[in-house]
């Protein structure tokens, strides 16, 4: 038997549920299917279990894409205020942690329950777990889609792909969305792990071997990205918000530049203390974690940790320059197993920015992380999932 629906959405994550409830509210019959047994695991583990569900300061500049303007329209029509109003209507308490990042006071499960309730009110039907085995265009006119699954066969006018990215395969990410794009001749921009810890080569790790767990406030830059946040030394390299942010801008072979003393004129500060009998590491420890200061000096070629009055101006200038621009060439990233997002995806030139519909395949939509729009850390990725899901939900 073949079941007919107006809209079928593959992927019951953040974008898929938002799209389903919006299409359902318009009176469309909607089926939301997912291969997972547990609903919306990415939302559940997000924000350390509290879901950083949006960012008050969202602008298109918070997103990476081969077409930076693509996200504008959807973001303008469904804003952080719209999502926050929904959260408030459901009585979910939340707080701003920092930099506009909004988190649940309780747990991310509240966001999942809210979306599930909204979908149920909009009479959305669920099918999970459900594995899609084949998709094709049933009619000679090329309208609508036929889906073969391990549960039943389905027919639909509108097919929305909301299968997310490749990160955290342990909880059910898959490449299905990209494969569907390929099947319909839709281009996909190169994929890579983003918002991910950076890994160092063995010799660099040896210099930092005493430091795992040390955190510091730093400004990190690479290519066109620049972020000031916490940097965390790990036993494999660097992590923490500043590292995750810059990882999305890093390309193999590029160095990352770390300003260890942002907001301070290191040269003037060190020169003021050049007659001091204190060790350089003790002076640096006024602004840096002591353990880090010592290891950092040892890592600089030709420098030793001696009393300040032993340094000449030339050496202090050199040290100051390195404090403001410590360069490291990571060997790689920790990969999709540890990444929060996948950079790249369905090429936005293939999609309408108003509807998320594929221009050359009417009735086919792509939303959320599977699209080549990736947010910075801080609630932006969910805001894109809500906004793109909302946009498609008005037209699917
Ligand atoms: C550890 C972690 C923490 C994060 N924290 C935050 C945060 O606090 N704030 C933030 O903004 N972003 C965060 N993110 C990113 C955010 O979770 C994603 O960008 C967002 O979930 C993307 O929404 P989506 O609906 O496109 O995809 P997902 O939410 O990943 O949903 C995709 C759905 O598709 C289903 N699916 C996949 N393949 C198939 C298939 N073959 N058949 C059927 N169904 C399939 C999956 O089971 C899943 O339910 C975090 C990510 C991770 C990994």
């Amino acid at each position: 038997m073949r079941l007919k629906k107006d809209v079928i959405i593959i992927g019951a994550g953040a974008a898929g549920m938002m799209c389903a409830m919006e299409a359902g509210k318009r009176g469309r019959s909607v089926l939301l299917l997912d291969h997972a047994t547990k609903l919306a695991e990415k939302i559940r583990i997000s924000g350390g279990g509290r879901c950083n569900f949006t960012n008050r300061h969202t602008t298109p500049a918070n997103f990476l894409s081969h077409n930076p303007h693509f996200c504008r329209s959807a973001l303008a029509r469904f804003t952080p205020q719209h999502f926050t109003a929904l959260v408030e209507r459901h009585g979910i308490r939340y707080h701003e942690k920092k930099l506009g990042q909004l988190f649940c006071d309780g747990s991310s499960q509240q966001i999942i329950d809210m979306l599930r309730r909204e979908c149920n009110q909009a009479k959305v039907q669920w099918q999970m777990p459900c594995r899609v085995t084949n998709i094709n265009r049933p009619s000679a006119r090329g309208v609508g889609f036929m889906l073969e699954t391990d549960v039943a066969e389905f027919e639909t006018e509108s097919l929305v792909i909301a299968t997310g990215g490749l990160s955290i395969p342990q909880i059910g990410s898959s490449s299905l969305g990209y494969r569907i794009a390929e099947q319909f001749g839709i281009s996909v921009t190169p994929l890579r792990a983003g918002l991910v810890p950076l890994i160092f080569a063995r010799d660099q790790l040896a210099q930092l071997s005493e430091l795992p767990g040390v955190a510091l406030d730093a400004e990190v830059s690479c290519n066109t990205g620049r972020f000031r946040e916490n940097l965390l030394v790990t036993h494999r390299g660097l992590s923490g918000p500043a590292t995750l942010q810059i990882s999305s801008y890093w390309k193999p072979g590029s160095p990352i530049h770390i300003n260890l003393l942002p907001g301070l004129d290191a040269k003037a500060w060190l020169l003021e203390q050049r007659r001091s009998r204190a060790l350089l590491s003790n002076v640096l420890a006024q602004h840096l974690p002591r353990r880090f200061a010592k290891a950092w000096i040892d890592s600089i070629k030709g420098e030793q940790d001696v009393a300040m009055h032993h340094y000449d101006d030339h050496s202090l200038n050199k040290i100051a320059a390195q404090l403001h621009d410590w360069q490291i060439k990571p060997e790689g990233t920790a990969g999709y197993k540890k990444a929060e997002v996948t950079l790249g995806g369905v090429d936005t030139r293939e999609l309408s920015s108003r509807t998320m519909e594929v221009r050359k395949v009417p009735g086919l939509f792509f939303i959320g992380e599977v699209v080549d729009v990736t947010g910075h850390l801080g609630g932006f990725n969910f805001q894109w999932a809500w906004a793109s899901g909302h946009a498609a939900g008005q037209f699917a």
Side-chain angles (χ1 to χ4, degrees), residues 198-200 205-206 208-209 211-213 232-239:
L198 293 172
I199 305 299
F200 290 173
L205 278 180
L208 303 177
S209 62
L211 298 177
L232 177 72
V233 183
T234 69
H235 63 283
R236 296 185 68 197
L238 287 177
S239 188

Side-chain angles (χ1 to χ4, degrees), residues 101-120:
Q101 301 166 4
L102 302 187
F103 286 75
C104 297
D105 287 358
S107 92
S108 358
Q109 189 61 41
Q110 295 173 287
I111 299 292
I112 301 172
D113 293 343
M114 172 188 88
L115 295 166
R116 190 206 302 258
R117 271 200 300 277
E118 286 284 329
C119 285
N120 288 341

